[in-house]
Amino acid sequence: MRTQDAPGFAGRRAAVLCGLGGYLPSRVLDNAELSGRMDTSDEWIRTRTGIAERRIADDMSTVDMAVEAGRAALNSAGLDRVDALVLATSTPDYVCPASAPQVAAALGLSGIAAFDVNAVCSGFVYALATAAGMISAGISGSVLVVGADKFSAVVDPGDRGTAPIFGDGAGAIVLRAGAPAEDGALGPFDLHSEGEGTDLLYVPAGGVRQRFAAEEQDNFLVMQGQKVFRQACARMAESSRAVLDRAGWDVAEVDRFVGHQANIRILDAVAKKLGLPAEAVVANIGTVGNTVAASVPLALLDGVKEGHLVPGHRVVVSAFGAGLTWGSTVLRWPEVTPG
Ligand code: COA
């Protein structure tokens, strides 16, 4: 058996996962309710996406959900203070300023470094890389990394192409400085973007190009589902392979694949491309849908709660999202009790 002292891990101060938490709003929107609202069915949504229900934040904002998830992760780590907070979101409470300082203040962490990272569904992996870099460089000793999105605010509630897919939520982890050989030490990262694909998945209005929507429809997410599907399968598989190579791990050594939860068929296809057995796939999409930047930490949380992810497991984490953006990392799962 190889240890984590493979080339991608050696000779650096590592960022070690030591806390995990999440938050889901209480309102459940199931497929039956959606079917009453648009031309779709429970059977179509389940078989084409793997989703049975999702949560809707209603009057809670992205910051509100991020605070709850952040608090849970700090409890899990047994910490009441961290040096920095990185929030992955593409649905911030305001266009300006970033939401992270508000989350930090609500958690009693005023004064710490706090900023947002926007890489949409890959946001959490990008935020992990940013936080791990801050720790490795000695800028911070501990970082709270939160992924939170309220996509119900940008999805057309009557669009059968997008409304069944997305749900609201927040997930968080705490990283601390440690040694590369420890369980929980984040391995190498693989990160990419391709701006040529912006129009495959975007919200036309709200930014400075079109501050206020000319047509009401411009306020809502536009998605070319099939093209996104194909890209997600190819890019997550490619990136997972790259990061495994960098870490010096064989595919046969991987116990769990925690991919961005966009569609169960995407997760299964990526596992197949990698040569991983179906049991390696950690999936909670059935009950939460695609929670965007919250997707990866909520899947990790569900994996632990369901006993599907246990200490010592070799885990590949991979995500793909609008931008286009994608990225991956690896870690050996640590002993951690969700907060
Ligand atoms: N209910 C019933 N029928 C639906 C439907 C729905 N909710 N959505 C689409 N359809 C219909 C289409 O109109 C089409 O009908 P037609 O054959 O008569 O034209 C048929 O189902 C197939 O549509 P298609 O778009 O090819 O379906 P699909 O198998 O590609 O599934 C998605 C659609 C959106 C579920 C799928 O493309 C997907 O998951 N894409 C990736 C989305 C994603 O991951 N986004 C976030 C990335 S981070």
Side-chain angles (χ1 to χ4, degrees), residues 40 44 48 121 160 165 223 225-226 228 260 262-263 265 320:
T40 190
W44 192 96
R48 303 311 293 166
C121 295
R160 71 175 187 170
I165 295 171
M223 181 173 82
Q226 280 191 14
V228 173
H260 167 54
N263 186 317
R265 292 185 295 132
F320 174 88

Side-chain angles (χ1 to χ4, degrees), residues 7-9 12 185-190 242-248 328-330:
F9 294 94
R12 61 179 174 81
L186 295 179
F189 281 86
D190 178 70
V243 88
L244 284 172
D245 195 45
R246 234 163 271 167
S328 307
T329 189
V330 296

Side-chain angles (χ1 to χ4, degrees), residues 91-321:
T91 49
D93 280 23
Y94 305 109
V95 169
C96 170
S99 290
Q102 295 150 62
V103 178
L107 289 170
L109 299 173
S110 244
I112 67 167
F115 59 96
D116 292 2
V117 164
N118 179 354
V120 200
C121 295
S122 310
F124 197 77
V125 174
Y126 268 75
L128 282 181
T130 306
M134 289 168 75
I135 288 175
S136 292
I139 296 168
S140 307
S142 57
V143 184
L144 174 60
V145 184
V146 186
D149 268 302
K150 181 176 177 172
F151 245 54
S152 62
V154 295
V155 163
D156 177 349
D159 177 16
R160 71 175 187 170
T162 52
I165 295 171
F166 294 95
D168 301 330
I173 66 160
V174 178
L175 295 177
R176 62 161 173 83
E182 283 184 68
D183 279 358
L186 295 179
F189 281 86
D190 178 70
L191 301 172
H192 299 276
S193 76
E194 198 172 83
E196 294 86 342
T198 299
D199 63 351
L200 295 187
L201 195 58
Y202 79 117
V203 180
V208 297
R209 186 172 288 277
Q210 189 189 167
R211 192 74 194 84
F212 302 102
E215 307 284 337
E216 203 209 337
Q217 207 52 36
D218 287 353
N219 288 312
F220 296 127
L221 184 77
V222 176
M223 181 173 82
Q224 297 186 40
Q226 280 191 14
K227 286 187 182 163
V228 173
F229 189 101
R230 281 197 294 273
Q231 286 275 350
C233 294
R235 299 310 197 178
M236 282 205 278
E238 203 175 281
S239 177
S240 299
R241 269 192 217 105
V243 88
L244 284 172
D245 195 45
R246 234 163 271 167
W249 290 7
D250 292 332
V251 170
E253 293 175 300
V254 173
D255 298 296
R256 294 291 178 262
F257 174 73
V258 181
H260 167 54
Q261 310 279 308
N263 186 317
I264 192 69
R265 292 185 295 132
I266 295 176
L267 293 170
D268 290 343
V270 174
K272 200 168 166 194
K273 275 174 186 281
L274 291 172
L276 289 171
E279 312 81 76
V281 175
V282 172
N284 67 333
I285 187 168
T287 53
V288 298
N290 179 349
T291 55
V292 192
S295 172
V296 163
L298 285 175
L300 291 171
L301 183 62
D302 190 76
V304 172
K305 285 185 170 167
E306 295 299 314
H308 199 40
L309 196 53
V310 299
H313 268 161
R314 286 175 180 247
V315 184
V316 177
V317 173
S318 188
F320 174 88

